[in-house]
Amino acid sequence: MGVGGTLEYISELIGSGGSHSYGKRKKKNQFQTVELKVRMDCDGCVLKVKNSLSSLKGVKSVEINKKQQKVTVSGYAEASKVLKKAKSTGKKAEIWPYVPYNLVAQPYIAQAYDKKAPPGYVRKVDPYVTTGTMAVYNDDPSYTSMFSDDNPNACSIM
């Protein structure tokens, strides 16, 4: 057991009154950065969103880019809770839907191109989505072996 594990074990023993509770350990949230697109028109909107998200438990920093309508929240809060708190301000909010255009294989297809995207960004699309259609035929073995050169009784008509 390393130093960190030893300290964690001792603090758990002290915190639980001396009883072992290995299976009942509380899962800690990991530090993460959540990016949101929030519709903000004025400085009052920016302040309202910033104060609301800063009051959320686990949030360490809130950065707002009003021009791009982008809010970056860093901390130990879950993304769903951050999004819910942003929507509770009355503003239209969603998870940041854009990626830099050089990360997309085809940035100018209809699904990716967005006029409202900030410069240098396109909408995030699923890489497996295709723009064309594909026909799938049932692979019935009776039709494929009917006119086979390997089977001498395959074509009794000819």
Side-chain angles (χ1 to χ4, degrees):
M1 196 182 299
V3 174
T6 305
L7 292 175
E8 192 172 303
Y9 174 75
I10 292 171
S11 69
E12 186 175 316
L13 283 177
I14 293 169
S16 63
S19 63
H20 289 354
S21 61
Y22 288 113
K24 299 177 186 176
R25 187 176 281 180
K26 219 178 187 184
K27 186 179 178 186
K28 295 180 182 178
N29 289 337
Q30 291 185 348
F31 189 85
Q32 62 181 350
T33 302
V34 181
E35 294 179 331
L36 302 172
K37 179 182 179 185
V38 181
R39 175 91 176 149
M40 297 173 287
D41 299 320
C42 62
D43 292 334
C45 298
V46 171
L47 191 61
K48 184 177 182 179
V49 170
K50 186 169 186 164
N51 289 339
S52 176
L53 292 175
S54 296
S55 69
L56 196 60
K57 184 179 178 183
V59 172
K60 297 296 178 193
S61 69
V62 178
E63 298 172 14
I64 296 180
N65 185 338
K66 188 174 126 185
K67 185 176 180 182
Q68 289 186 345
Q69 308 277 311
K70 183 176 182 179
V71 178
T72 306
V73 179
S74 300
Y76 296 97
E78 295 177 21
S80 60
K81 290 183 180 179
V82 172
L83 181 61
K84 188 175 180 181
K85 189 73 166 180
K87 285 183 177 180
S88 73
T89 62
K91 306 294 175 200
K92 184 179 177 189
E94 62 180 325
I95 299 292
W96 185 252
Y98 304 117
V99 293
Y101 77 96
N102 58 354
L103 296 180
V104 178
Q106 298 173 334
Y108 298 109
I109 60 173
Q111 292 91 355
Y113 187 73
D114 187 1
K115 291 181 198 177
K116 296 178 183 177
Y121 287 90
V122 292
R123 190 166 280 280
K124 191 185 313 182
V125 293
D126 187 16
Y128 302 108
V129 174
T130 58
T131 55
T133 59
M134 184 173 84
V136 177
Y137 296 102
N138 188 6
D139 204 16
D140 191 6
S142 63
Y143 293 128
T144 57
S145 64
M146 189 180 290
F147 297 102
S148 173
D149 290 335
D150 298 334
N151 186 358
N153 298 327
C155 184
S156 59
I157 301 172
M158 296 178 112

